[in-house]
């Protein structure tokens, strides 16, 4: 039925997936993404209260913004359009943890743009952190919620540390570690969470903990060896330098 929202939504989903595959292979996905945007626009004309269509168009706008940024363009307008779509999705479906997570990701991306432009992005990082928290309150079982908030907190920590707020940065890193502890308490087999916690522990000067997490992560998934956020050599080197300087591990 061409007048059913399901028809343009389904076609938009296919075009979104096609465009995403093109982008992943380094080919321009703009044509497919724009066609998908038309499909979602048609679906929203037929049913303006479709949280699913708003959410999918938000995902589309985010992917298009990411592609634009990779080509050296300014993605801010695209991220803001995606954020507006996801806000609509949460209005029509307040129980959507996925929409909250996407809002958190977009607010984090906008914060990082502000950082790149030399501004203070703390307010945007705080908003992103809050959105991930709302998503976790709805669905605490989703690993991407915990990992998304960890990413925001770590980027926020780097940001405030660069602006001379070291104590605030340390608190954020401890909060990120707590998130990873919570995630690993639920899913102890997640090697990427162990690797991420190793990075946090390294930043907190807990080198013994970082080394143990790296060892455990590689034991669970040897394929991580080439893409670790911090290596065993870096941990050992930092520990040796600190010991020479008389600085102890946490």
């Amino acid at each position: 039925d061409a007048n059913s929202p399901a028809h343009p939504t389904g076609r938009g989903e296919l075009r979104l997936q096609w465009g995403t595959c093109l982008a992943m292979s380094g080919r321009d996905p703009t044509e497919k993404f724009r066609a998908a945007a038309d499909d979602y626009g048609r679906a929203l004309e037929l049913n303006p209260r479709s949280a699913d269509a708003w959410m999918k168009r938000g995902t589309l706008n985010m992917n298009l913004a990411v592609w634009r940024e990779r080509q050296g363009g300014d993605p801010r307008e695209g991220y803001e359009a995606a954020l507006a779509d996801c806000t609509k999705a949460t209005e029509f479906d307040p129980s959507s943890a996925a929409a909250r997570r996407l809002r958190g990701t977009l607010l984090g991306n906008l914060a990082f743009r502000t950082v790149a432009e030399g501004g203070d992005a703390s307010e945007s990082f705080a908003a992103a952190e809050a959105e991930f928290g709302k998503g976790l309150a709805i669905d605490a079982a989703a690993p991407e919620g915990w990992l998304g908030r960890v990413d925001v907190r770590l980027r926020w920590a780097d940001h405030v540390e660069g602006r001379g707020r070291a104590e605030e940065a340390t608190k954020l890193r401890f909060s990120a570690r707590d998130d990873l502890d919570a995630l690993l308490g639920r899913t102890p087999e997640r090697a990427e969470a162990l690797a991420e916690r190793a990075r946090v522990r390294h930043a907190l000067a807990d080198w013994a903990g970082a080394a143990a997490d790296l060892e455990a992560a590689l034991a669970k998934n040897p394929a991580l060896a080439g893409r670790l956020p911090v290596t065993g050599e870096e941990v050992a080197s930092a520990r040796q330098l600190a010991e020479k300087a008389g600085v102890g591990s946490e």
Side-chain angles (χ1 to χ4, degrees), residues 8-229:
T9 299
R11 188 171 61 187
E13 178 71 16
L14 289 172
R15 286 170 164 169
L16 172 58
Q17 292 175 358
W18 191 348
T20 300
C21 289
L22 288 173
M24 290 176 65
S25 64
R27 291 177 288 172
D28 190 347
T30 304
E31 181 181 347
K32 295 303 176 187
F33 282 159
R34 286 180 176 163
D38 291 340
D39 287 330
Y40 292 132
R42 174 59 178 159
L44 289 166
E45 287 175 5
L46 295 168
N47 181 8
R49 299 182 63 83
S50 171
D52 182 60
W54 285 112
M55 171 79 173
K56 286 175 177 173
R57 196 173 74 173
T59 302
L60 164 69
N61 281 325
M62 181 182 72
N63 288 355
L64 189 54
V66 168
W67 172 260
R68 187 175 296 120
E69 187 169 19
R70 287 177 180 169
Q71 304 311 303
D74 185 352
R76 183 176 287 277
E77 184 178 347
Y79 287 144
E80 289 173 346
L83 185 61
D85 284 344
C86 289
T87 300
K88 282 288 189 181
T90 59
E91 287 176 9
F92 294 124
D93 184 5
S95 66
S96 174
R100 292 293 181 185
R101 290 193 296 267
L102 188 54
R103 270 182 54 82
T105 298
L106 289 161
L107 285 164
N109 287 350
L110 285 166
F112 212 57
R113 288 303 305 170
T114 300
V115 171
E117 293 160 4
D120 187 346
S122 291
E123 186 175 334
S124 293
F125 278 126
E129 179 188 50
E131 283 299 314
F132 278 112
K134 291 174 184 176
L136 287 167
I138 298 167
D139 180 11
E144 54 268 34
W146 296 102
L147 293 170
R149 190 164 69 177
V150 165
D151 180 62
V152 165
R153 285 174 165 170
L154 292 180
R155 292 199 288 174
W156 189 1
D158 290 342
H159 172 57
V160 297
E161 187 172 60
R163 300 178 78 85
R165 286 140 56 189
E167 185 175 348
E168 186 179 348
T170 298
K171 288 179 180 178
L172 285 164
R173 289 177 180 130
F174 274 119
S175 294
R177 189 194 63 180
D178 291 345
D179 276 349
L180 289 162
D181 287 346
L183 174 57
L184 287 163
R186 290 173 172 273
T187 54
E189 297 303 310
R190 294 194 72 87
E192 71 273 24
L194 284 163
E196 193 68 5
R197 192 171 66 179
R199 176 162 74 104
V200 178
R201 284 177 157 172
H202 179 257
L204 291 170
D206 176 12
W207 297 294
D213 277 346
L214 284 175
E215 183 178 356
L218 290 172
K220 294 178 188 302
N221 184 3
L224 283 175
R227 47 192 177 90
L228 291 168

Side-chain angles (χ1 to χ4, degrees), residues 201 204-208 238-239 241-250:
R201 284 177 157 172
L204 291 170
D206 176 12
W207 297 294
R239 185 174 194 168
L241 289 171
E243 287 172 350
K244 288 180 182 178
V247 179
S249 178
E250 181 202 33

